[in-house]
Amino acid sequence: MTRNSFRYEASFAVLSAVLAFGHANVASAAANLTITDSSVTVAGAEGSDEPDQAAAQIGSKPQASEPGLTEIVVTATKRETNLQRTPISISVMGAETIRERKVQSLLDLSDGGVPSLRVATFEARQSALTIGIRGIVPLDANQPAREQGVGVYIDGVYLGRQHGLNTALFDIERIEVLKGPQGTLFGRNTEGGALSMVSKTPSGNFNGRIEGGIGNLGAYNLGGHLDLPEVAGFSVKLDGVLSHQDAVTNNPLADQAGWGSFHRIGGRAALRWKPTDTITNDFSYDVAHDENTPYYSQLLNYNPNACLSGGTNAAPRPIPSGSTCVTPGTAFTGTSGTIRSVLPGVIVNGDTLMRTADIGVPQQNSVDKTHGFTNILKWRVSPEIELRSITAWRGVDVEQYDNSGGAHRVPAVNLTASCTAAAPCAFSRYSLADLRQRQFSQELQAVGTVGSVDYVAGLYYFNEHVSDDAATPNSMGAIATINGGLVTGATYTPIAFCTGAVNPSLGAAVQGCSIDRASEVRSKSYAAYGQLTWNATDALHITVGGRYTEDRKKGVLHFSRNINYDVNTAAATANGYVPLDKKWTRFNPTATVAYDFSDSIHGYAKYATGYRAGGASSRTSDYRAFDPEDVKSYELGLKADFWERRARINIAAYMMDRKNSQVDLSTIQPTATGNFNNLVTFNAPGITKIRGVEADLTIKPVDGLTMGLSYAYTYTDIPPVPVTYREFTSGGVPTANFTTIPQNFYVVFTPRNAASGSIDYELPVSGDTRVKFHLDANYAQATQAFDQFATKADPSFIVNGRISVLDIGLDGSNARLTLSVWGRNLMDEQHVYRRDPSNSVPAVQTTAAAGVPNILLVGNVGGIMGDYGNFNMPRTFGVDAALRF
């Protein structure tokens, strides 16, 4: 048995053990259902739960219902504090909210329940997520030497890659969304904020939960959670989860996977040791296995910019603003090539989600494997100080298989009589990749209070090793149907690909392929930080802090366009390749003045800083490096409870200035071994401006009824970036002349306006049994999905709902049963959340039109097809049951 197979069989074992144990305890009681007077404590009323999990154990008497909104405890300042008294803009989703919204993975947060938080797939792939807060959204953090702009944490441990983030969530107590730079307490790569997931820990009391459900799209889920009694100071908690969904879009090709499916299974074991009242040690191990396919990428339109074949798109330089056949950041004097018709059978559909693909193509499941060990030690040395140690080792392994574009992406096929069974014309670019990541982190903290001063101090170390490879073979062939000497149709067949020799240094997904790129990066980060809050009076609180960070990053490019740089060093040198070996240091200060106008009204003014580390682009042949980007934030906030704590409003207004913004430019890169399209990452000059307002309103007008409304306004502006191109002769030979053209860039996945509203109504039925109704609606304005193009995806409006019967008593037992019917996207609203216009404009090339000397690049229209993109999930619905004992 291999080490990895043991891990994932262990997760099955955890799930099975929990379910079997729970079944043995409740089977005899489950035969008869009655309503009893026994009770169970439920979570906080306003949709953001009370995070004290000890109060939520089954079999205990409920607390008396409070007439107002309950307090919410967060750990944003490395200590437990009341949300309303914490001078940070924070949104919290507790366990009850997570359940009500049917959030099974982080991708389910893409519906916009937290308006400032934006979650999307990278490309169409579920195997990697793009996460942004307040306009800090990385477009392509899919490379080993690139970093995220929002830190993602699980139990205080930073997750270094965006890969593997979409595995199933275990027993989560709450999700905290910290908005704005968190560079002082959380460190590097948190310039937009932090998304912190907090797991439930062992309680030391015997209780458990078995839950499961079924839904449309062949969906089913199963979970088991078991808390064991404390023995000799040791407490154990076991969690196992399983979730499955069939394909959203079916694949006509036999024996191939469809698109939008997933099958996730995972297990988590937590051990708490309390040798004394002052020492607590929490150790946990988690493992997860996720098999999924990307969402289907549809051809949304055909030649939307009315480009014409040949040089008829020529115009004086620069091209007039009224022209539509324009590639951003270029000034073509002409074009070449022929606009090609779509292949027979290809469907152009920009209005509705296709449930069956027009042409079947090879597609297999991508596989994400994650695992991690975490140890958290807390020692209350004295009333003035608590020492903490957070030690973690984690890993991610990804095999990526993405053929979601089919005939909707380049290469565009020129269907002629030469496309024969013996030599079919190739298409359907199959994006294959592997990634292996390992990380170790160690953090030491001292937290306490001395007199009127609260303090946090810490040391941090992070070590990461990442390697990846990628290939993009064509996987299908078109065979022309000839009648009377004319092409009248086509048939399609899979073609052999990746038939070369096995290379043991590469991953499984790309074996035998022509390798586009392969790289390896080692990163180390060291930091020391501290923060002091002086409670000058009962009302005035002044906070200052700072963090010093040193980042070191070393990387190598092993392959570029199938050239092995480790072997062919001459080609590597000719292409300008330089290994990455960089060190950056930063000091990130923060300062806050908070004032309690009363016990229920709190205001603050805050200055904060953050940065995203630099790196290098493995998509370029020279492994082009780029520097960190830095952000400064100025924020005013007000938090208030009123109407006898039946209403709560939190408002924040901020200004962020980002320097050296990391932006991406898709362009041609001339090399000594050929010319190819690539994605260049560089630092934009000037200051990117991000301005915004956030507001959250919660009202509990009567007992049992809670209404919430959240809104986010986000303005972003990146100054035009001067992009310099080398000019070429008519023969495609580079000259000594250069032309600089201003290029506009955009912040992606950041709607100008976004809002979310919710209504929860709980109605007593008999004894402790209640009926609960939940409804939420989420809106987002249209926004760009690629930073080089002004083209926007669609606005969205998603409505979700659930009806639950809570705490049905089982005769002769203190176990409780909850039954629910739920629906996501109840209105079956369909929108394109990701639109790629790169196939709708002339491609940059280095071959000029005949007879035109010494010109800038000439556009080629031969690859123009249209925008392609991805629709959101259709309406899903189902029933759930949860048995607590």
Side-chain angles (χ1 to χ4, degrees):
M1 180 184 297
T2 66
R3 180 171 56 183
N4 279 342
S5 65
F6 171 79
R7 287 177 184 146
Y8 304 112
E9 289 184 11
S11 67
F12 278 98
V14 170
L15 178 58
S16 300
V18 173
L19 295 176
F21 195 95
H23 175 75
N25 280 271
V26 301
S28 61
N32 299 302
L33 280 179
T34 61
I35 306 300
T36 72
D37 291 333
S38 298
S39 182
V40 23
T41 301
V42 295
E46 76 280 17
S48 293
D49 314 300
E50 184 67 44
D52 181 5
Q53 72 177 85
Q57 303 303 325
I58 299 300
S60 61
K61 278 292 186 181
Q63 299 172 346
S65 176
E66 297 183 12
L69 300 171
T70 58
E71 292 185 355
I72 302 171
V73 176
V74 296
T75 55
T77 58
K78 304 295 186 182
R79 62 175 71 234
E80 292 188 352
T81 57
N82 184 327
L83 171 67
Q84 292 303 99
R85 293 179 177 270
T86 304
I88 300 174
S89 181
I90 310 174
S91 293
V92 181
M93 276 192 175
E96 184 69 10
T97 304
I98 293 171
R99 184 184 70 86
E100 296 288 357
R101 290 177 175 258
K102 193 65 176 179
V103 175
Q104 299 183 90
S105 71
L106 288 182
L107 185 56
D108 290 328
L109 298 179
S110 63
D111 61 8
V114 179
S116 293
L117 173 69
R118 311 316 300 180
V119 180
T121 59
F122 174 73
E123 291 288 327
R125 303 159 198 159
Q126 299 185 63
S127 56
L129 298 184
T130 296
I131 297 178
I133 299 176
R134 284 188 175 179
I136 304 294
V137 191
L139 172 62
D140 180 19
N142 201 43
Q143 304 176 55
R146 256 196 114 168
E147 307 292 344
Q148 307 167 84
V150 171
V152 180
Y153 295 80
I154 178 69
D155 298 326
V157 176
Y158 173 71
L159 305 181
R161 294 293 105 195
Q162 67 181 45
H163 302 80
L165 294 182
N166 201 37
T167 54
L169 298 177
F170 296 110
D171 205 7
I172 297 296
E173 182 177 295
R174 67 184 182 275
I175 298 174
E176 300 178 6
V177 181
L178 284 61
K179 306 166 193 174
Q182 307 296 321
T184 299
L185 292 184
F186 287 84
R188 64 201 282 270
N189 306 331
T190 59
E191 56 178 358
L195 190 154
S196 177
M197 295 173 284
V198 181
S199 304
K200 292 182 179 179
T201 55
S203 66
N205 300 314
F206 174 74
N207 63 82
R209 184 173 81 255
I210 300 173
E211 55 197 8
I214 58 174
N216 64 328
L217 295 177
Y220 58 85
N221 63 275
L222 186 64
H225 311 278
L226 180 64
D227 241 331
L228 296 177
E230 180 180 337
V231 177
F234 289 92
S235 304
V236 174
K237 187 175 189 298
L238 302 175
D239 300 292
V241 293
L242 167 67
S243 58
H244 173 91
Q245 177 183 283
D246 289 343
V248 177
T249 301
N250 295 319
N251 190 343
L253 186 62
D255 301 321
Q256 297 300 304
W259 291 278
S261 66
F262 62 78
H263 185 86
R264 307 175 184 130
I265 185 167
R268 183 177 186 269
L271 173 66
R272 167 167 285 190
W273 179 43
K274 285 183 66 69
T276 71
D277 291 339
T278 60
I279 296 177
T280 301
N281 191 86
D282 284 307
F283 173 82
S284 64
Y285 169 70
D286 62 85
V287 59
H289 182 100
D290 178 13
E291 295 189 15
N292 61 78
T293 55
Y295 293 114
Y296 188 57
S297 296
Q298 299 181 198
L299 186 60
L300 304 175
N301 49 42
Y302 173 70
N303 192 14
N305 298 307
C307 293
L308 302 174
S309 296
T312 52
N313 303 289
R317 194 168 46 183
I319 293 177
S321 59
S323 177
T324 58
C325 188
V326 177
T327 302
T330 64
F332 299 140
T333 58
T335 58
S336 64
T338 301
I339 302 290
R340 294 167 179 170
S341 301
V342 295
L343 287 173
V346 168
I347 296 174
V348 178
N349 183 355
D351 299 320
T352 58
L353 170 67
M354 294 172 60
R355 303 306 296 270
T356 299
D358 47 17
I359 297 177
V361 300
Q363 178 68 66
Q364 69 183 85
N365 292 330
S366 295
V367 180
D368 304 338
K369 301 174 184 178
T370 63
H371 60 274
F373 301 86
T374 302
N375 194 82
I376 302 175
L377 173 64
K378 297 181 180 180
W379 177 26
R380 173 65 68 176
V381 179
S382 70
E384 293 79 21
I385 183 172
E386 179 177 276
L387 299 180
R388 302 174 183 171
S389 170
I390 304 175
T391 308
W393 182 82
R394 300 195 63 84
V396 178
D397 294 277
V398 177
E399 288 181 27
Q400 171 195 298
Y401 301 90
D402 179 3
N403 208 359
S404 59
H408 305 158
R409 300 184 59 178
V410 293
V413 175
N414 183 23
L415 188 65
T416 66
S418 63
C419 299
T420 65
C425 293
F427 69 99
S428 194
R429 176 182 179 270
Y430 204 169
S431 181
L432 310 175
D434 300 278
L435 179 135
R436 183 183 187 275
Q437 186 256 14
R438 298 295 183 267
Q439 68 173 66
F440 172 80
S441 61
Q442 174 64 57
E443 186 167 6
L444 301 175
Q445 300 175 354
V447 181
T449 301
V450 177
S452 60
V453 176
D454 301 328
Y455 66 88
V456 176
L459 298 172
Y460 181 74
Y461 171 72
F462 179 80
N463 190 332
E464 181 184 38
H465 179 207
V466 195
S467 59
D468 81 330
D469 51 52
T472 53
N474 293 318
S475 61
M476 292 290 290
I479 303 171
T481 301
I482 308 297
N483 287 309
L486 300 176
V487 175
T488 59
T491 57
Y492 307 106
T493 183
I495 58 177
F497 58 91
C498 297
T499 58
V502 172
N503 186 334
S505 68
L506 300 172
V510 302
Q511 286 298 328
C513 298
S514 173
I515 304 301
D516 285 1
R517 67 181 189 277
S519 64
E520 184 176 8
V521 182
R522 296 181 184 272
S523 302
K524 293 184 179 181
S525 182
Y526 310 82
Y529 62 90
Q531 182 167 292
L532 302 175
T533 298
W534 176 39
N535 302 296
T537 68
D538 290 342
L540 179 62
H541 316 278
I542 301 173
T543 300
V544 294
R547 185 186 192 103
Y548 174 81
T549 304
E550 179 179 293
D551 277 339
R552 298 176 182 176
K553 188 170 289 189
K554 293 184 177 182
V556 293
L557 191 60
H558 294 299
F559 277 84
S560 180
R561 292 305 185 268
N562 209 38
I563 299 174
N564 188 332
Y565 279 12
D566 299 333
V567 175
N568 193 344
T569 57
T573 301
N575 284 339
Y577 164 65
V578 177
L580 176 66
D581 188 357
K582 295 283 188 179
K583 183 177 80 170
W584 301 281
T585 60
R586 286 294 187 277
F587 179 73
N588 290 112
T590 187
T592 304
V593 176
Y595 191 79
D596 302 326
F597 297 97
S598 69
D599 288 341
S600 59
I601 302 177
H602 316 279
Y604 66 90
K606 182 178 182 179
Y607 168 76
T609 59
Y611 88 103
R612 176 154 56 131
S617 175
S618 58
R619 300 185 192 274
T620 57
S621 64
D622 54 1
Y623 206 37
R624 192 166 304 176
F626 51 88
D627 289 325
E629 63 181 23
D630 299 88
V631 67
K632 295 180 179 179
S633 173
Y634 309 86
E635 181 175 331
L636 294 175
L638 181 69
K639 301 184 176 186
D641 289 344
F642 57 98
W643 192 18
E644 297 180 340
R645 290 190 62 191
R646 288 187 177 273
R648 174 174 297 159
I649 187 168
N650 295 340
I651 301 175
Y654 62 90
M655 298 172 53
M656 295 202 301
D657 292 330
R658 186 173 65 182
K659 184 179 180 181
N660 293 326
S661 296
Q662 296 171 9
V663 297
D664 299 303
L665 178 66
S666 180
T667 184
I668 201 79
Q669 185 176 20
T671 74
T673 54
N675 305 312
F676 60 87
N677 286 312
N678 72 117
L679 193 71
V680 179
T681 303
F682 62 95
N683 298 98
I687 301 297
T688 296
K689 297 180 180 179
I690 304 175
R691 310 288 187 258
V693 176
E694 298 160 342
D696 298 286
L697 175 65
T698 307
I699 301 176
K700 188 178 181 182
V702 296
D703 290 349
L705 176 63
T706 304
M707 298 179 290
L709 180 64
S710 299
Y711 170 75
Y713 169 84
T714 311
Y715 167 83
T716 62
D717 178 62
I718 302 176
V721 176
V723 177
T724 300
Y725 290 96
R726 182 187 293 273
E727 297 186 4
F728 291 77
T729 68
S730 58
V733 178
T735 72
N737 300 326
F738 292 85
T739 296
T740 299
I741 301 169
Q743 163 78 61
N744 290 323
F745 287 89
Y746 306 90
V747 173
V748 298
F749 296 117
T750 303
R752 182 69 58 90
N753 294 280
S756 176
S758 64
I759 298 177
D760 290 273
Y761 182 60
E762 190 173 299
L763 180 66
V765 176
S766 176
D768 301 321
T769 303
R770 290 110 49 218
V771 176
K772 186 172 184 180
F773 303 88
H774 168 83
L775 189 71
D776 64 81
N778 313 278
Y779 167 78
Q781 201 170 0
T783 180
Q784 285 87 0
F786 288 82
D787 56 4
Q788 188 180 349
F789 297 94
T791 305
K792 294 183 178 181
D794 298 340
S796 63
F797 182 71
I798 302 296
V799 179
N800 309 311
R802 176 183 288 262
I803 302 174
S804 302
V805 181
L806 306 170
D807 298 335
I808 304 170
L810 300 180
D811 193 21
S813 170
N814 64 355
R816 297 292 178 268
L817 177 67
T818 293
L819 300 175
S820 304
V821 56
W822 58 270
R824 289 178 61 88
N825 191 11
L826 290 172
M827 301 173 65
D828 203 20
E829 183 263 9
Q830 298 184 19
H831 65 270
V832 175
Y833 74 85
R834 175 185 167 275
R835 180 185 295 268
D836 187 344
S838 59
N839 291 349
S840 297
V841 294
V844 180
Q845 66 175 32
T846 55
T847 303
V852 183
N854 198 39
I855 65 167
L856 189 65
L857 306 178
V858 169
N860 188 293
V861 299
I864 286 180
M865 302 176 72
D867 297 345
Y868 74 97
N870 307 101
F871 278 85
N872 64 306
M873 280 289 295
R875 176 168 50 222
T876 54
F877 53 86
V879 294
D880 285 341
L883 183 64
R884 297 175 180 263
F885 54 89

